[in-house]
Amino acid sequence: MFKPHVTVACLVHAKGKFLIVEETVNGKATWNQPAGHLEADETLVQAAERELWEETGIRATPQHLVRMHQWIAPDNTPFLRFLFAIELDDVCETQPHDDDIDRCLWLSAEEILTACHLRSPLVAESIRCWQSGQRLPLEIIGEFNWPFTKGVNPGAA
């Protein structure tokens, strides 16, 4: 059975800048959007909110789904990556709570698109998707009879 890793990423934008997290991977600084794996007891949006807070200290809810990418990493690991957009009124201070994050940076699209130390090509692709105007309503993602959602009646027909 095919079992891809499910990840979420947040494209955070404010005043023409995008939020990037920097982490050291194999001794090298790499840039990524705030991103991580979906946990068993959370929705995709909840996972995006959690990853954003853990990696940047920012509490915000995604406003749109930008894209879902099906991707195979260079090590042949398959992924389904859900990219969410968060538009802030202004750039803000960050305070990562994840020890793997060295720092956060607010950068222009051009700085990201021309960088040679992106965590994956999906970082640049995410910017291109944003620039193309891709935005979908969050309602396109639904939880059905989700046991962790308030008011669910698992015995109902």
Side-chain angles (χ1 to χ4, degrees), residues 70-87:
Q70 185 173 358
W71 183 60
I72 297 178
D75 67 358
N76 289 321
T77 303
F79 286 91
L80 293 178
R81 183 180 191 253
F82 292 82
L83 176 65
F84 293 95
I86 298 172
E87 183 77 34

Side-chain angles (χ1 to χ4, degrees), residues 23-91:
E23 55 190 326
T24 303
V25 178
N26 298 324
K28 294 182 177 183
T30 61
W31 290 354
N32 198 3
Q33 279 102 15
H37 285 86
L38 174 69
E39 300 293 335
D41 62 346
E42 62 190 1
T43 65
L44 291 164
V45 170
Q46 289 168 338
E49 292 171 336
R50 176 185 51 75
E51 287 292 347
L52 179 66
W53 183 83
E54 287 177 2
E55 295 192 358
T56 70
I58 296 172
R59 291 199 185 272
T61 298
Q63 292 123 354
H64 301 280
L65 174 69
V66 175
R67 183 97 182 200
M68 193 279 293
H69 288 101
Q70 185 173 358
W71 183 60
I72 297 178
D75 67 358
N76 289 321
T77 303
F79 286 91
L80 293 178
R81 183 180 191 253
F82 292 82
L83 176 65
F84 293 95
I86 298 172
E87 183 77 34
L88 300 177
D89 292 332
D90 211 343
V91 297

Side-chain angles (χ1 to χ4, degrees), residues 144-145 153-157:
F144 177 75
N145 207 20
N153 181 356

Side-chain angles (χ1 to χ4, degrees), residues 38-155:
L38 174 69
E39 300 293 335
D41 62 346
E42 62 190 1
T43 65
L44 291 164
V45 170
Q46 289 168 338
E49 292 171 336
R50 176 185 51 75
E51 287 292 347
L52 179 66
W53 183 83
E54 287 177 2
E55 295 192 358
T56 70
I58 296 172
R59 291 199 185 272
T61 298
Q63 292 123 354
H64 301 280
L65 174 69
V66 175
R67 183 97 182 200
M68 193 279 293
H69 288 101
Q70 185 173 358
W71 183 60
I72 297 178
D75 67 358
N76 289 321
T77 303
F79 286 91
L80 293 178
R81 183 180 191 253
F82 292 82
L83 176 65
F84 293 95
I86 298 172
E87 183 77 34
L88 300 177
D89 292 332
D90 211 343
V91 297
C92 57
E93 293 293 318
T94 58
Q95 183 179 358
H97 299 277
D98 183 333
D99 292 339
D100 291 335
I101 303 302
D102 299 326
R103 64 182 177 152
C104 299
L105 304 162
W106 287 96
L107 302 169
S108 69
E110 190 63 24
E111 289 173 294
I112 297 165
L113 291 170
T114 59
C116 59
H117 49 283
L118 301 179
R119 176 83 187 255
S120 86
L122 283 176
V123 177
E125 181 62 16
S126 297
I127 299 296
R128 287 189 286 273
C129 290
W130 170 269
Q131 289 175 325
S132 75
Q134 293 181 30
R135 311 280 192 286
L136 297 167
L138 290 181
E139 292 77 21
I140 201 165
I141 304 168
E143 304 85 36
F144 177 75
N145 207 20
W146 188 245
F148 304 104
T149 304
K150 208 175 191 181
V152 169
N153 181 356

